[in-house]
Amino acid sequence: MSQLPKSAAKGPSRLNCLLLPLKDRNMLLPNVTVAEIVPFSHLLTTNSTVDWVLGRVDWRGVTVPVLCYEMLNKQGAPAPNPDARFAIINGVGAHPQMPFFALLIQGIPRIVHVHEKDLQSVEAMNMGPFDAQAVSVDNETAMIPDLDNVESTLLSHT
């Protein structure tokens, strides 16, 4: 569970996380990683040469690149969904040219309180190159992404 920070407090560590719905799975991210969930909106064009960069969205005066995690991970694109949203993700690498990026998600995220002792690694089928680990939390499986890899790949294509 290398992508989730450990609590500095003594005793059982608990982390507030979000389960972000994707096409056919969930993504688990620490709550502090997600700046905001915003409604799906018109995408601005981009000059990216890869299909997984969907465009850009204007968020709080900042132009944020939007990516489709499924397509980045060599899976099929999700079908159009009226419940789709953008998860604005805080950049992990402190890159001034890209302090945020957005992920296309397929619905409303759910808050989960993750206790380190309750998080179980699972054998996952179809793990992509940007999935760091598959876990079980709250009786659901979820993928923990390698955000460093996602961000550096996105930086090289925008």
Side-chain angles (χ1 to χ4, degrees):
M1 186 80 206
S2 62
Q3 296 291 314
L4 295 180
K6 293 185 179 183
S7 171
K10 292 184 179 181
S13 63
R14 184 184 92 162
L15 187 63
N16 293 325
C17 294
L18 289 173
L19 273 175
L20 304 173
L22 299 177
K23 174 181 161 184
D24 58 0
R25 65 173 95 182
N26 291 308
M27 176 185 289
L28 182 68
L29 288 177
N31 199 25
V32 298
T33 305
V34 180
E36 189 173 353
I37 303 298
V38 297
F40 188 90
S41 62
H42 177 73
L43 288 169
L44 305 170
T45 60
T46 183
N47 58 359
S48 177
T49 59
V50 291
D51 61 355
W52 49 266
V53 174
L54 304 176
R56 299 171 292 133
V57 65
D58 187 31
W59 174 72
R60 297 184 182 211
V62 178
T63 302
V64 178
V66 177
L67 67 95
C68 176
Y69 188 76
E70 293 91 341
M71 293 171 69
L72 172 67
N73 240 351
K74 312 282 189 241
Q75 298 168 357
N81 180 350
D83 295 328
R85 289 165 169 68
F86 297 128
I88 308 295
I89 306 298
N90 292 309
V92 294
H95 301 286
Q97 70 273 31
M98 194 179 75
F100 306 97
F101 61 93
L103 295 172
L104 174 66
I105 61 173
Q106 300 301 309
I108 299 172
R110 186 167 56 97
I111 295 174
V112 292
H113 305 288
V114 176
H115 294 271
E116 200 172 348
K117 65 180 177 53
D118 295 333
L119 197 62
Q120 302 295 318
S121 185
V122 297
E123 294 296 320
M125 296 177 60
N126 301 323
M127 277 190 58
F130 294 90
D131 295 330
Q133 187 176 7
V135 295
S136 175
V137 60
D138 274 359
N139 296 320
E140 291 190 58
T141 58
M143 302 305 278
I144 298 171
D146 180 347
L147 289 181
D148 291 318
N149 193 11
V150 169
E151 186 174 290
S152 64
T153 302
L154 182 58
L155 274 165
S156 68
H157 288 91
T158 55

